[in-house]
Amino acid sequence: MNKSAIVFVALCLFCVFGIGSAQAQKIAYVNTEKVVKKSPQSAAILKSLEAEFKKRNDALLSKRKKLKKLEEKLGKDRSIMSSSEKNNIEQDIRRRRRELNNSSAEFREDLNLRRSEEINKLLRKISEVVINIGKREKIDMVMSAGVAYASDSIDISDKVLQQLGQEFEKKGSK
């Protein structure tokens, strides 16, 4: 066989096998931020955190009110107080303010830590749902973060939300 015949056969084989193996890839996109915000699990997380931290929040509010009353008392009665009485109240105000600031910072830190834990659990659940939808609908690739644009035709966020809602209802009815 001459060289041109070999090249022709090679090109024919390449075209036949190349076209046969080039299948349309199914790609989807999920807007994780949207799913986190709109999922029933997210609302449940907020409710449970609110209940979990209510007692501590109420205690902080009470401390703030007491501190404000003490500051108002000092402001009103400063002119009729002895200097030792003023010093005692001022020291008490500084001590209470310091305790309140420390308690508030600890409260915020604990709340943020718990919120992060719960959001991470939700993100893992969302990932499971995305994988299930991907397998069920034979999607080759699902993208989320770092996408500059995604057409609504490939956005599966609503499907993910729907499945999360169904799973939330099942969990709630048990």
Side-chain angles (χ1 to χ4, degrees):
M1 257 198 208
N2 64 23
K3 276 187 169 183
S4 59
I6 293 174
V7 170
F8 176 74
V9 171
L11 280 174
C12 288
L13 289 174
F14 176 75
C15 288
V16 169
F17 289 113
I19 291 172
S21 65
Q23 299 172 350
Q25 300 295 307
K26 192 169 179 186
I27 297 173
Y29 165 74
V30 64
N31 184 339
T32 308
E33 186 177 329
K34 172 185 172 182
V35 172
V36 167
K37 284 181 183 177
K38 291 187 174 187
S39 71
Q41 288 85 344
S42 182
I45 287 170
L46 291 176
K47 261 188 190 175
S48 81
L49 289 175
E50 189 176 296
E52 182 179 335
F53 286 89
K54 183 178 180 6
K55 198 175 201 178
R56 285 177 64 184
N57 188 48
D58 291 347
L60 284 173
L61 291 174
S62 175
K63 286 180 181 181
R64 278 192 188 101
K65 286 179 184 176
K66 289 177 183 175
L67 178 61
K68 187 175 181 177
K69 283 182 182 179
L70 199 56
E71 290 170 334
E72 288 171 354
K73 179 183 179 186
L74 179 65
K76 277 185 193 175
D77 300 339
R78 180 182 293 270
S79 60
I80 59 172
M81 291 181 177
S82 67
S83 64
S84 66
E85 213 177 355
K86 278 190 248 179
N87 286 339
N88 287 341
I89 291 178
E90 287 171 346
Q91 285 178 351
D92 191 27
I93 289 173
R94 281 192 297 273
R95 180 187 57 78
R96 287 176 186 243
R97 190 175 290 133
R98 198 172 33 253
E99 286 176 2
L100 181 61
N101 288 339
N102 290 339
S103 296
S104 295
E106 187 177 309
F107 175 81
R108 281 190 305 274
E109 187 178 312
D110 291 347
L111 179 61
N112 288 336
L113 180 65
R114 283 288 295 126
R115 184 182 298 126
S116 292
E117 289 171 355
E118 293 300 320
I119 293 297
N120 285 335
K121 285 182 194 176
L122 177 56
L123 289 172
R124 285 191 297 274
K125 183 65 185 167
I126 290 169
S127 180
E128 290 173 18
V129 169
V130 168
I131 290 169
N132 289 339
I133 290 172
K135 287 179 179 178
R136 184 177 65 230
E137 297 190 11
K138 295 178 177 42
I139 299 171
D140 297 305
M141 179 172 47
V142 178
M143 298 182 294
S144 64
V147 174
Y149 170 77
S151 162
D152 289 341
S153 66
I154 65 167
D155 189 348
I156 62 168
S157 302
D158 291 332
K159 290 179 182 179
V160 173
L161 279 168
Q162 182 182 10
Q163 187 169 335
L164 283 170
Q166 291 169 352
E167 291 183 17
F168 184 76
E169 287 175 15
K170 284 180 190 175
K171 185 178 177 186
S173 65
K174 287 184 179 177

